[in-house]
Amino acid sequence: MKKFIYLVIFSLYLMASVAVGQTPFFQQYFLLKKNEPIQVNKVFQDHTGFIWFGTNKGLFRFDGLNYRRFDKADTAVDNNITALAEDTLGRIWLGHQNGQLSYLENGRLNRFETREGAATEPVSDILFDRKGTLWFSTLNDGLYYYIGKRLYRVDDQEGLPDLFIYDLFEDPDGKIWAGTDGGIAICSLNNRKIHIQVLNTDDGLSDIIIKKIQLLTPDTISFATEDGGIFNLNIKTQAIKPLIEQTWTYGSISDFVFKEDQVWISSPRKGIVVYDRHTKAAKLFNKYEGQSLFSVNDLMSDAEGNIWLGSKVGVRRTLGDAVEHIDLLDPVRDLNIVALAVDSKNGIWFSNSEGLFLKTYDDNGESLIEKKLGSSAFKNASIISLYVDTEGYVWAGFYGNGLLRINPVTGQLKHFYKELRNGNILSITGKGNTVWLATLGGSTSITVDNGKYAITNYGSADGLSSDFVYQVFIDSKERIWFATDGKGVSMRDGNGFHHFEEGLGSKVVYSFAEDINKNIWASSQDNGIYRFDGKKFEVVPEIRLRDNTIQSLSADQLGNIMMMHNFGIDVYDVNRKQMRYWGEESGIHDKFPNLNALAKNLDGGMYIGTSKGIVKFSLSNDHVIASPRPAIDTIRIYDDFIDISKPLQLDYNENNVTINYLGFWYQNSENLNYLYTLENYDIDWIGTRNQNVTYSRLPPGDYVFKVKVSETENFTNAFESSLAFSITPPFWRTGAFYIFIAGLLLISGYSVIKFRERKLLEDKMILEGKVEERTLEIQRNTEEIQAQNEEIMAQAEEIQGINENLEMLVKERTAELEKKNKALEEYAFINAHKLRSPVASILGLLNLLKKMELIEEASIIRDHLQKSAVKLDEVVRSITKAIERADNEYF
């Protein structure tokens, strides 16, 4: 790490740069190609946010990135535009050099024509009062107002003090003030009749040529004169006092605008004068990058706080003097400033590879730079740290050669070297009569008391966590903080040393600051900044830095935390918890700050040593925190643009929608981030850097397109713009169509029902005829059937007699059969029991005889007898079966 430190310190002297003027940054815009010259007469911002330029070559609309030009190709009106205004309908009105008026509506310029004609001299200003009445002034043709579709001209006959009118203004009471060559004309309009009150020398005006009128407070109106400066008029008391207490010496005024406590004034003879109403001090900017700031025709302060300058050579914009670039001229050649300090007279002490210099200002604001230590032994020594103590002494820390105390009045020098633990003095700070040094060998305190020096050295053996210290910081509680290389933070209070490493992403700490709430902040190597919570350091979530390598850390005059890095300056508003950024739009994007090359003046303004000179940063007149504002510019259906000023209801086949949106952020329009969503279609917000989105084949429905814009990736407090539109379904999917179909179905159903009723009625009549005919036929058949029934009844009675006779016969036969059956049963019983039993006995005896020995004859008889007995048995069996079969068949 020590090698890294040495390389950084030596490389600071090798970086080359170019000088810039002692002015704010003025961004130049080129409205035409090839830097073609153009005169900008009027700069105007509409309610949406677009900037309009009225020039001698037409009208231009600007959104921060793109221009759109309107010239006489769009209308026959003169191309030289001298005045701009906006009406309540959002139309842009143009006043022309030839005295005519035109207005821009739906992208087309239209001539404003009246039966009474037009003015004959250049239009100087246009105003729409709170009642919608159109007023416009001219240079040598008086004042005009348009009401009730009639144009009225006002001149000396109505009491106008002069026909040359430069500016129009409406006061809180609705009266129109006109600045003329003969004083101020206050116009009251009643029943289309005008009454004029004149303010001139009789009322206390020292100069009656009035170039510009503005409202300072609800009770105070400011107006600029030709040569006498700017005055304030109290509406209630009519008292007139100079706005600027000092004698006005800057010549004629073409315009002026307010920016918080500042008044920005354009003087064709001197340039741009910035007067601070709080400090009563004035600054003059007459050149920027070698170009004159004279001949400014118009000044305009936009919604972001930018100041726009329209001049004979084009247009420029500045954020104001929050960032100023200090002019370093001869004898300075190396603009790489490695250390600086500011004394009580705002003299700037700074060092580079050439030595030590002092820049001072005289009473006229002219600067003088002189080289210091030129005749001493230290004229070629490398000074890498500077500090001015409360008594005005300048302390200069060398690289390797100790410390020098300089008496700026006598030039007397006091050198410290052997008394110090280390001769490499990286930074110096102090409080009261004590000075603290941060070195590569620890830290040293030097207390001065009546020319005597009490020196105390501190190192790791004395309680420091490391001997490599980048910065020493003294807070409001008299605690001493040490930024170390690799060991985090050490702090010394009444109880000794304390060490803090917890929470730090890197243990290499460069610098400290204390905010308005007495919180301590620290910057670490490549890890941004941290806030001390009393026990440890912590990350603050809402802080989003553009570069985590912080070279300089401090608190501004408002107690906010300011961080300088290679992309510019980031400021964290502690109470609002919001970030602000300064970079390319302030001209500091290529000015790289050197480590801890930072100093404050008595007013809290900070001076920063960079690779390309000195930058002064102050928010004393820049308290308003502005943010980018989104706007929905156009909607295209295929290639056709749709008027979005009216409610949007698109047909079902107009569902391929391209939406163009933009962010108004003239400070840095190219680096904006967007979030958009289409309600009822997109699931969530979608991030992009594009400025358009296309939705294809949107289904019918109601939609709201929303867009947010931010200069960073944090959209917490971002503004939002929205546009509602609907896509109607095809007629066959509309409610009316459904109602029509339902009605048609009802009518058809009703017709069918009626038709069916008639058909049923006819069928009923036919059926009734058939039923009647059938009934007659049935009656005839019934009579026939009845006759047949009677005949059948008679036959039935006859059959019944036969049946009864048959039943008698059956009973008799049955009785006879029962007798026979009974006889058969008896026979069967006899046959089965009485006859078979003897037969069985005979067969048994024969079987016994087979077992006896008989003579041959007896055996033959026996055999014969057995055969006869078997046959008898078979006969008996067959008789039994015949009887049983007869029983079965009968029953």
Side-chain angles (χ1 to χ4, degrees):
M1 181 54 67
K2 286 191 290 183
K3 291 183 178 179
F4 169 74
I5 297 170
Y6 299 146
L7 289 174
V8 169
I9 294 173
F10 280 121
S11 65
L12 295 176
Y13 295 105
L14 301 178
M15 301 173 68
S17 61
V18 296
V20 294
Q22 187 181 351
T23 62
F25 176 72
F26 288 92
Q27 174 71 50
Q28 186 172 9
Y29 297 93
F30 300 100
L31 307 185
L32 300 176
K33 296 180 179 180
K34 299 180 181 179
N35 298 341
E36 181 181 343
I38 188 171
Q39 176 175 314
V40 178
N41 300 316
K42 190 68 177 178
V43 184
F44 175 76
Q45 185 173 32
D46 65 21
H47 76 283
T48 305
F50 287 104
I51 301 293
W52 298 83
F53 304 116
T55 77
N56 63 341
K57 295 183 179 180
L59 176 67
F60 292 80
R61 190 190 77 171
F62 183 49
D63 62 14
L65 293 175
N66 304 303
Y67 301 95
R68 184 178 179 186
R69 184 181 182 184
F70 305 88
D71 56 20
K72 64 181 180 180
D74 301 289
T75 179
V77 179
D78 180 25
N79 225 11
N80 197 342
I81 300 167
T82 55
L84 292 172
E86 183 182 17
D87 64 16
T88 56
L89 299 178
R91 299 179 298 184
I92 303 300
W93 285 74
L94 293 69
H96 299 270
Q97 178 73 21
N98 62 5
Q100 294 183 339
L101 296 182
S102 63
Y103 60 91
L104 181 69
E105 186 175 28
N106 296 328
R108 178 172 177 78
L109 286 172
N110 304 278
R111 182 196 300 269
F112 177 64
E113 296 180 320
T114 67
R115 293 175 296 177
E116 294 77 22
T120 59
E121 296 294 340
V123 177
S124 57
D125 198 10
I126 304 173
L127 182 146
F128 287 90
D129 66 19
R130 64 191 62 184
K131 295 180 180 179
T133 303
L134 166 64
W135 299 77
F136 65 94
S137 58
T138 69
L139 300 178
N140 205 29
D141 193 25
L143 175 65
Y144 289 83
Y145 62 94
Y146 181 76
I147 186 171
K149 297 184 179 180
R150 182 179 174 183
L151 184 66
Y152 296 85
R153 179 176 180 268
V154 183
D155 56 19
D156 53 357
Q157 293 183 3
E158 285 80 16
L160 195 66
D162 198 280
L163 298 183
F164 270 90
I165 304 174
Y166 301 98
D167 190 44
L168 296 176
F169 167 76
E170 183 180 15
D171 69 15
D173 295 328
K175 297 178 182 179
I176 305 301
W177 293 47
T180 78
D181 270 352
I184 299 174
I186 305 176
C187 306
S188 301
L189 192 61
N190 294 309
N191 296 323
R192 303 186 185 181
K193 297 296 183 180
I194 193 165
H195 173 74
I196 298 177
Q197 175 191 355
V198 178
L199 298 179
N200 52 31
T201 54
D202 296 336
D203 302 286
L205 297 183
S206 60
D207 187 344
I208 60 173
I209 300 178
I210 309 301
K211 306 298 287 290
K212 186 74 174 183
I213 307 173
Q214 298 243 28
L215 186 68
L216 178 59
T217 68
D219 295 329
T220 304
I221 295 176
S222 301
F223 56 90
T225 64
E226 174 72 14
D227 293 309
I230 302 176
F231 295 86
N232 290 337
L233 184 148
N234 187 291
I235 299 175
K236 295 181 179 179
T237 65
Q238 296 295 299
I240 298 176
K241 295 181 180 180
L243 173 66
I244 300 175
E245 295 182 358
Q246 296 88 343
T247 301
W248 181 256
T249 60
Y250 298 102
S252 63
I253 298 174
S254 59
D255 200 357
F256 72 96
V257 293
F258 294 110
K259 180 178 173 64
E260 299 188 30
D261 286 335
Q262 289 182 335
V263 187
W264 286 65
I265 309 162
S266 60
S267 170
R269 299 177 189 174
K270 296 292 185 177
I272 300 299
V273 180
V274 179
Y275 177 74
D276 192 309
R277 295 187 293 118
H278 177 69
T279 63
K280 312 298 182 183
K283 295 184 289 186
L284 176 64
F285 306 126
N286 51 27
K287 285 186 178 181
Y288 182 77
E289 294 183 339
Q291 295 186 12
S292 169
L293 294 177
F294 302 153
S295 66
V296 173
N297 299 315
D298 191 60
L299 292 175
M300 193 272 292
S301 178
D302 68 14
E304 301 171 18
N306 297 295
I307 304 296
W308 295 80
L309 292 71
S311 72
K312 295 179 179 179
V313 293
V315 63
R316 288 182 179 271
R317 177 196 57 82
T318 179
L319 269 172
D321 62 347
V323 176
E324 289 184 283
H325 305 269
I326 306 300
D327 181 15
L328 300 178
L329 302 177
D330 289 337
V332 178
R333 292 183 298 275
D334 180 13
L335 298 180
N336 183 37
I337 310 303
V338 297
L340 75 165
V342 182
D343 61 27
S344 59
K345 297 180 180 180
N346 283 328
I348 305 173
W349 296 77
F350 62 93
S351 63
N352 57 15
S353 61
E354 301 167 326
L356 179 64
F357 296 86
L358 172 62
K359 180 181 176 70
T360 57
Y361 299 88
D362 60 20
D363 294 338
N364 295 322
E366 299 294 332
S367 64
L368 174 67
I369 298 178
E370 58 178 322
K371 186 174 182 181
K372 296 294 185 178
L373 306 178
S375 59
S376 70
F378 304 102
K379 62 180 180 180
N380 294 321
S382 300
I383 297 175
I384 59 175
S385 57
L386 287 167
Y387 172 71
V388 177
D389 65 20
T390 55
E391 296 183 359
Y393 286 89
V394 178
W395 299 74
F398 295 108
Y399 178 68
N401 199 22
L403 177 70
L404 197 66
R405 183 176 186 252
I406 307 169
N407 186 322
V409 178
T410 65
Q412 183 181 359
L413 305 177
K414 170 64 178 177
H415 185 226
F416 302 89
Y417 182 72
K418 293 182 180 180
E419 306 94 321
L420 310 179
R421 289 193 60 186
N422 189 277
N424 299 291
I425 315 300
L426 299 184
S427 68
I428 310 172
T429 190
K431 194 168 186 178
N433 62 344
T434 300
V435 172
W436 285 85
L437 312 178
T439 77
L440 294 179
S443 180
T444 299
S445 70
I446 303 175
T447 302
V448 183
D449 186 12
N450 294 324
K452 296 183 180 180
Y453 304 95
I455 301 175
T456 306
N457 293 303
Y458 299 94
S460 55
D462 304 298
L464 277 175
S465 59
S466 171
D467 286 331
F468 302 100
V469 181
Y470 286 109
Q471 188 190 61
V472 179
F473 178 78
I474 306 171
D475 68 14
S476 60
K477 298 178 181 178
E478 305 296 330
R479 297 177 297 185
I480 313 298
W481 297 81
F482 303 88
T484 73
D485 181 10
K487 293 294 183 178
V489 173
S490 290
M491 187 269 287
R492 182 175 179 268
D493 59 13
N495 297 320
F497 283 94
H498 309 271
H499 307 296
F500 305 98
E501 295 186 18
E502 184 181 356
L504 294 171
S506 170
K507 304 304 184 291
V508 179
V509 180
Y510 288 146
S511 54
F512 299 101
E514 183 176 10
D515 66 25
I516 191 173
N517 299 322
K518 310 302 181 183
N519 294 310
I520 301 300
W521 299 73
S523 67
S524 65
Q525 184 184 41
D526 300 329
N527 276 273
I529 66 170
Y530 297 84
R531 182 176 59 193
F532 186 64
D533 67 359
K535 296 182 179 179
K536 65 181 185 304
F537 286 89
E538 61 180 358
V539 174
V540 178
E542 60 265 23
I543 294 182
R544 296 176 181 266
L545 303 175
R546 291 174 295 174
D547 189 343
N548 283 329
T549 302
I550 306 300
Q551 303 293 348
S552 297
L553 179 67
S554 184
D556 64 16
Q557 62 266 47
L558 303 177
N560 300 315
I561 299 301
M562 188 280 292
M563 298 145 277
M564 187 77 179
H565 48 68
N566 286 348
F567 288 93
I569 299 173
D570 295 356
V571 176
Y572 175 63
D573 190 306
V574 175
N575 291 330
R576 296 181 182 179
K577 297 183 179 181
Q578 290 181 319
M579 295 293 299
R580 299 183 67 183
Y581 305 95
W582 283 263
E584 182 177 357
E585 68 281 0
S586 302
I588 56 176
H589 64 287
D590 59 347
K591 295 184 176 183
F592 305 131
N594 290 315
L595 185 63
N596 290 334
L598 183 70
K600 283 186 181 182
N601 64 11
L602 297 179
D603 296 326
M606 285 175 281
Y607 293 80
I608 305 161
T610 77
S611 61
K612 293 184 179 181
I614 300 173
V615 172
K616 181 185 177 184
F617 182 74
S618 173
L619 292 181
S620 59
N621 282 288
D622 203 346
H623 301 158
V624 177
I625 298 179
S627 299
R629 291 182 176 271
I632 299 172
D633 189 17
T634 60
I635 286 185
R636 285 184 292 122
I637 307 299
Y638 298 103
D639 292 327
D640 296 328
F641 288 94
I642 305 298
D643 183 7
I644 63 174
S645 64
K646 302 176 182 178
L648 292 180
Q649 190 168 359
L650 309 177
D651 291 336
Y652 73 95
N653 56 353
E654 295 177 325
N655 59 351
N656 289 311
V657 179
T658 298
I659 303 174
N660 295 279
Y661 49 86
L662 49 87
F664 290 114
W665 190 241
Y666 295 98
Q667 302 176 24
N668 194 1
S669 300
E670 295 182 354
N671 295 312
L672 293 177
N673 300 288
Y674 298 91
L675 284 178
Y676 69 86
T677 187
L678 184 63
E679 289 187 354
N680 201 24
Y681 187 81
D682 290 327
I683 298 175
D684 202 354
W685 290 87
I686 300 171
T688 183
R689 299 197 69 173
N690 296 326
Q691 291 187 327
N692 62 76
V693 60
T694 298
Y695 292 96
S696 300
R697 298 183 179 179
L698 286 174
D702 296 324
Y703 300 96
V704 178
F705 180 79
K706 295 182 178 181
V707 61
K708 296 180 181 180
V709 63
S710 174
E711 58 181 318
T712 67
E713 294 181 356
N714 181 15
F715 289 82
T716 302
N717 298 303
F719 289 103
E720 179 181 302
S721 182
S722 63
L723 178 68
F725 65 94
S726 61
I727 298 178
T728 59
F731 74 91
W732 58 86
R733 292 179 59 185
T734 62
F737 183 76
Y738 293 148
I739 293 173
F740 170 76
I741 293 299
L744 184 62
L745 291 174
L746 288 174
I747 294 172
S748 299
Y750 180 77
S751 300
V752 169
I753 291 171
K754 286 298 182 181
F755 174 78
R756 186 64 176 167
E757 286 179 352
R758 290 194 300 269
K759 180 66 174 174
L760 289 175
L761 186 58
E762 293 175 356
D763 292 344
K764 179 183 177 182
M765 293 176 66
I766 295 172
L767 183 59
E768 287 178 349
K770 291 183 177 180
V771 168
E772 186 176 356
E773 181 180 349
R774 184 63 175 168
T775 301
L776 294 174
E777 182 179 355
I778 291 173
Q779 289 179 351
R780 290 194 298 269
N781 293 335
T782 301
E783 293 174 355
E784 294 178 0
I785 292 171
Q786 187 174 359
Q788 292 175 355
N789 285 338
E790 292 176 353
E791 183 179 354
I792 290 171
M793 291 295 292
Q795 294 177 353
E797 292 177 357
E798 182 180 355
I799 291 170
Q800 185 176 1
I802 294 172
N803 287 335
E804 291 176 353
N805 185 36
L806 287 175
E807 287 177 358
M808 293 296 295
L809 293 175
V810 168
K811 289 180 180 180
E812 294 175 356
R813 185 62 178 167
T814 299
E816 184 180 353
L817 287 175
E818 287 177 351
K819 292 178 180 181
K820 291 180 178 181
N821 285 337
K822 189 174 181 179
L824 286 174
E825 287 176 0
E826 293 177 355
Y827 176 76
F829 179 80
I830 295 171
N831 183 60
H833 297 279
K834 293 183 179 183
L835 182 60
R836 290 191 63 187
S837 179
V839 172
S841 300
I842 293 172
L843 289 173
L845 293 174
L846 290 174
N847 286 331
L848 293 174
L849 290 176
K850 285 182 177 181
K851 296 178 181 180
M852 298 177 60
E853 293 182 4
L854 300 177
I855 59 175
E856 181 179 359
E857 290 179 355
S859 298
I860 293 171
I861 294 170
R862 183 193 62 192
D863 292 337
H864 181 73
L865 183 60
Q866 184 167 354
K867 289 178 182 180
S868 298
V870 170
K871 288 179 179 181
L872 179 60
D873 183 58
E874 288 177 353
V875 171
V876 170
R877 287 178 182 273
S878 64
I879 291 170
T880 302
K881 288 179 180 181
I883 294 170
E884 290 176 354
R885 187 167 52 251
D887 277 341
N888 290 334
E889 288 178 356
Y890 176 77
F891 291 102

